[in-house]
Amino acid sequence: MTSSYDAIVIGLGGMGSAAAYRLAARGLRVLGLERFTPGHDRGSSHGGSRVTRQAYFEDPAYVPLLLRAADLWEQVERDSGRDIVTYTGGVMIGRPDSRTVAGSKLSAEQWGLAHDMLDAAEIRRRFPTLNPADDEIALYEAMAGFVRPEESVLAHLQLAGQAGAELHFEETVAEWAAEGSGVRVTTDQDTYTAGRLVICPGAWAPDLLAGLGVDFEIERQVMYWFAPEGGTAAFVPESHPVYIWEVDADTQFYGFPAIDGPDGGAKVAMFRGGRRCTPETIDREVHDAEVEAIRTHLRPRIPALPGPLLHAATCMYTNTADEHFVIAAHPAHSQVTVACGFSGHGFKFVPVVGEILADLAAEGSTPHPIALFDPARLLPASRKAHP
């Protein structure tokens, strides 16, 4: 017998868990479907930490969403009782004309965000772990820090369940179809119908959203945890900020304080530049050459960091051609809402994306500014004219 709901959410990672919660909180009968276990490490919502920041070098248009996200993170933490966000302060480092610095400065100035511009000497004075070149500068903002992705997912799932959502794990969606004004979703275990469908597929976007016409590129990324030489005392959050460091136009790396105690090390990773893959073909092994490659970036810039490698983990970016998100009603099916292509910089937006998806699915529109995320921008002219 087919079960029916007001809304079905496919994918219960960062965005999907938030969407399920926000929809259920509005009184809708919600079914959430996830192919893995809660808070799993097979996709893009794991690894212990994600950078959060507000002076957004990608585009000033993101800033209102980040300001709303900050309020919602506080509410989710309070209602779930979980520790999700920590503000440590953060620096965006590079040469003055680099995208990382100039773009962050543009957003900060346009939206009146509190920030400091630091020359190389001031960076070294305030943050002795960092060793910029003399011609590098940084934007510092106090409202930067880190989000714990697994805690976010578990918090939103907890709140979704408390609000009445039915959540199914280890159940894989085989296909979905728009039928009249509703949808039908078939899994490896059952078939379900609903009035609305929200698809948050992560790296499975190329399969679940093949009809959208957007070319999603899946990219393998590696996260590394090093034991700093001399121990973690100099790398605690009170002394060592989160950071994104632009080496050149094609190379950025980012990292965190030692947030998991004296034996947890400090995490660092490259920002983009990974190998293309699929969820089925991703290489989960981390190779010696990769470890040495990131050490070459760290040695001159954070000299004490690249000590022994404690552990490493892989994850996946889902990239669009312009590195911006896709958040919209499906152009061919108004009862279907899609959220994907978060391109390695999306997790800090999780609670506000959940709110946006609930708006779109329940009301058909949202007051949040999401024009930048319209998938039509990524389609050939012929597809835009004839969807």
Side-chain angles (χ1 to χ4, degrees):
M1 179 177 177
T2 301
S3 300
S4 188
Y5 301 84
D6 294 324
I8 296 173
V9 178
I10 297 177
L12 295 175
M15 305 305 175
S17 63
Y21 162 47
R22 296 295 170 184
L23 285 164
R26 297 185 186 202
L28 277 68
R29 291 174 296 122
V30 176
L31 171 64
L33 298 169
E34 169 57 53
R35 68 175 62 216
F36 298 114
T37 55
H40 64 84
D41 65 355
R42 301 288 88 186
S44 305
S45 297
H46 63 281
S49 56
R50 295 289 187 275
V51 172
T52 185
R53 50 197 165 91
Q54 294 182 352
Y56 218 62
F57 62 76
E58 286 84 350
D59 195 299
Y62 286 90
V63 174
L65 301 179
L66 290 162
L67 298 177
R68 176 59 176 163
D71 292 338
L72 292 175
W73 281 125
E74 183 177 344
Q75 174 255 311
V76 171
E77 284 190 316
R78 182 180 64 250
D79 292 350
S80 68
R82 292 179 179 271
D83 182 12
I84 303 173
V85 183
T86 301
Y87 296 104
T88 62
V91 286
M92 307 298 113
I93 306 176
R95 288 172 175 79
D97 61 350
S98 66
R99 183 190 184 201
T100 302
V101 174
S104 298
K105 186 171 182 285
L106 175 64
S107 283
E109 291 177 345
Q110 182 168 320
W111 289 99
L113 303 176
H115 67 286
D116 298 321
M117 299 305 301
L118 312 179
D119 62 18
E122 183 65 7
I123 297 169
R124 297 186 201 108
R125 187 189 71 79
R126 290 178 62 169
F127 307 110
T129 51
L130 306 181
N131 183 41
D134 289 342
D135 62 346
E136 290 182 314
I137 66 171
L139 178 141
Y140 171 81
E141 61 170 327
M143 288 300 292
F146 62 90
V147 177
R148 291 193 177 273
E150 292 93 341
E151 286 298 299
S152 167
V153 171
L154 294 174
H156 282 101
L157 293 175
Q158 171 189 328
L159 295 173
Q162 290 172 357
E166 183 179 324
L167 306 175
H168 293 191
F169 299 96
E170 299 183 277
E171 184 169 352
T172 300
V173 172
E175 63 178 3
W176 64 269
E179 294 189 344
S181 61
V183 297
R184 179 179 296 272
V185 176
T186 302
T187 75
D188 58 357
Q189 299 180 32
D190 211 337
T191 298
Y192 310 96
T193 61
R196 296 289 184 268
L197 175 63
V198 178
I199 305 177
C200 303
W204 288 263
D207 294 330
L208 286 172
L209 292 174
L212 190 63
V214 174
D215 181 21
F216 295 105
E217 179 180 299
I218 312 305
E219 181 180 303
R220 172 184 176 273
Q221 289 291 336
V222 182
M223 301 170 281
Y224 308 85
W225 286 259
F226 290 103
E229 296 175 5
T232 58
F235 286 81
V236 296
E238 294 78 12
S239 304
H240 181 78
V242 299
Y243 56 89
I244 298 178
W245 205 314
E246 184 169 326
V247 177
D248 55 46
D250 299 317
T251 308
Q252 290 170 299
F253 67 92
Y254 66 96
F256 302 83
I259 63 175
D260 295 316
D263 299 322
K267 177 184 167 185
V268 64
M270 300 304 297
F271 193 38
R272 308 192 189 284
R275 299 196 302 269
R276 294 193 68 167
C277 68
T278 70
E280 295 73 32
T281 64
I282 182 174
D283 179 6
R284 296 286 183 181
E285 181 180 355
V286 177
H287 303 278
D288 291 345
E290 296 176 299
V291 179
E292 185 54 33
I294 196 162
R295 279 191 168 123
T296 63
H297 293 303
L298 292 173
R299 284 191 188 103
R301 298 174 178 90
I302 313 179
L305 181 55
L309 179 70
L310 298 176
H311 65 100
T314 57
C315 70
M316 290 177 284
Y317 284 6
T318 304
N319 298 318
T320 60
D322 61 7
E323 300 177 358
H324 295 306
F325 310 156
V326 170
I327 306 174
H330 193 293
H333 310 292
S334 61
Q335 68 271 49
V336 178
T337 304
V338 298
C340 50
F342 290 98
S343 302
H345 65 108
F347 206 94
K348 61 186 74 64
F349 296 90
V350 157
V352 70
V353 169
E355 187 171 69
I356 291 166
L357 295 176
D359 287 343
L360 294 175
E363 310 296 337
S365 63
T366 181
H368 291 294
I370 62 169
L372 180 62
F373 312 135
D374 188 337
R377 75 187 193 275
L378 300 167
L379 301 179
S382 59
R383 283 294 302 275
K384 294 178 186 178
H386 304 286

